[in-house]
Amino acid sequence: MPVSAGRSPSTSPPALLRSDSPETLAVLPSAESAAPPPTPAAGSATVGDARRAPPQPAWRGDLAREALRLQAVVHAHADLATAADALAGELAHSLRAERVSIGLQDRGATRLLAASGELERVQIGTRQRALEHAMDEAIDQAAIVRYPTEAGDPPRIGALHAQYSRLVQSRLTTLPLIDGERVIGAITVEHPLEPAPDPSPMRDAADLIAPLGPLLALRRLAEARGLARWRLIRARR
């Protein structure tokens, strides 16, 4: 992008923020520049020509910082189950959720790995199975599934979400966990049915959890290899 005429070489560089288009960078003036911008030369682009950047994430701080913090939570624990428990709790706090549950695919079916809050509420009988089936529903579609649906939502199959929602009396959003081209699991976020929750914390939820799929897949693979080595060593004794 051409630079406006009259900019001094000592001026602080402009801050770069992503615009609505993934291939476009919007150029915004630095915070240090308080004076009106110089008159541009004929034919040159101006800051006003750039598209507006999207609003800041709903939580305190920025999206990248929050995503890195959640990845650090996973790295801080030695085993996958403990890391997933801690991650579910931190996600519930970030998304202001009643509960967050994490499930991973195991031989074609989802198995509940961790849940924040009252874990026993979903770990027994029909409630756990209903939650895992709801996760399967989102995984099979490789798409975010919400129940009840919201205005503007694309059409989704949500019968299993409706069943689980009735059991726990919660508003549900299930987001697939993706590793490369594979859907390896899902995260289900629960909010109270009434009153309707503030939608802003969920606005960037998909971007927030996007790095977690590859990370959880890597941790699971490392544990599986470690277990295989242990079994091999034990068999040789």
Side-chain angles (χ1 to χ4, degrees):
M1 177 179 292
V3 179
S4 301
R7 184 182 297 278
S8 170
S10 62
T11 304
S12 298
L16 296 182
L17 297 177
R18 290 185 64 84
S19 73
D20 294 333
S21 168
E23 299 177 357
T24 306
L25 287 178
V27 182
L28 303 179
S30 67
E32 299 174 3
S33 176
T39 302
S44 66
T46 68
V47 169
D49 293 330
R51 300 175 66 184
R52 289 183 179 271
Q56 291 295 316
W59 43 82
R60 292 186 296 271
D62 58 57
L63 177 62
R65 183 177 301 173
E66 183 69 3
L68 286 172
R69 188 184 72 82
L70 293 173
Q71 293 173 65
V73 169
V74 177
H75 285 300
H77 295 83
D79 63 279
L80 177 61
T82 306
D85 278 338
L87 177 62
E90 291 298 326
L91 278 170
H93 175 74
S94 294
L95 301 175
R96 302 175 195 165
E98 190 176 48
R99 177 170 46 254
V100 169
S101 303
I102 302 172
L104 294 181
Q105 285 269 290
D106 180 19
R107 290 170 287 189
T110 302
R111 299 288 179 261
L112 182 64
L113 178 63
S116 66
E118 301 174 28
L119 190 60
E120 68 279 3
R121 182 180 171 191
V122 294
Q123 272 201 319
I124 54 176
T126 58
R127 286 178 175 173
Q128 178 179 343
R129 288 193 294 272
L131 172 58
E132 291 169 342
H133 291 163
M135 290 178 170
D136 280 333
E137 190 170 57
I139 290 170
D140 290 344
Q141 298 174 81
I144 298 172
V145 177
R146 270 189 279 263
Y147 186 85
T149 57
E150 300 176 3
D153 281 353
R156 300 276 187 251
I157 299 171
L160 298 175
H161 279 73
Q163 179 182 346
Y164 180 64
S165 176
R166 287 193 296 269
L167 285 172
V168 296
Q169 291 298 296
S170 294
R171 184 181 300 267
L172 310 177
T173 303
T174 298
L175 306 100
L177 282 167
I178 299 173
D179 176 32
E181 297 183 354
R182 300 181 304 133
V183 182
I184 63 160
I187 292 178
T188 297
V189 182
E190 300 179 34
H191 290 94
L193 280 172
E194 297 295 341
D198 175 8
S200 58
M202 292 297 296
R203 193 168 293 135
D204 298 297
D207 292 332
L208 186 66
I209 73 164
L212 300 177
L215 181 56
L216 292 174
L218 185 63
R219 290 295 300 269
R220 181 169 64 174
L221 178 61
E223 284 198 4
R225 288 177 174 174
L227 180 59
R229 284 195 299 268
W230 177 82
R231 288 173 174 171
L232 180 61
I233 293 171
R234 185 174 181 181
R236 288 176 176 175
R237 288 181 180 175

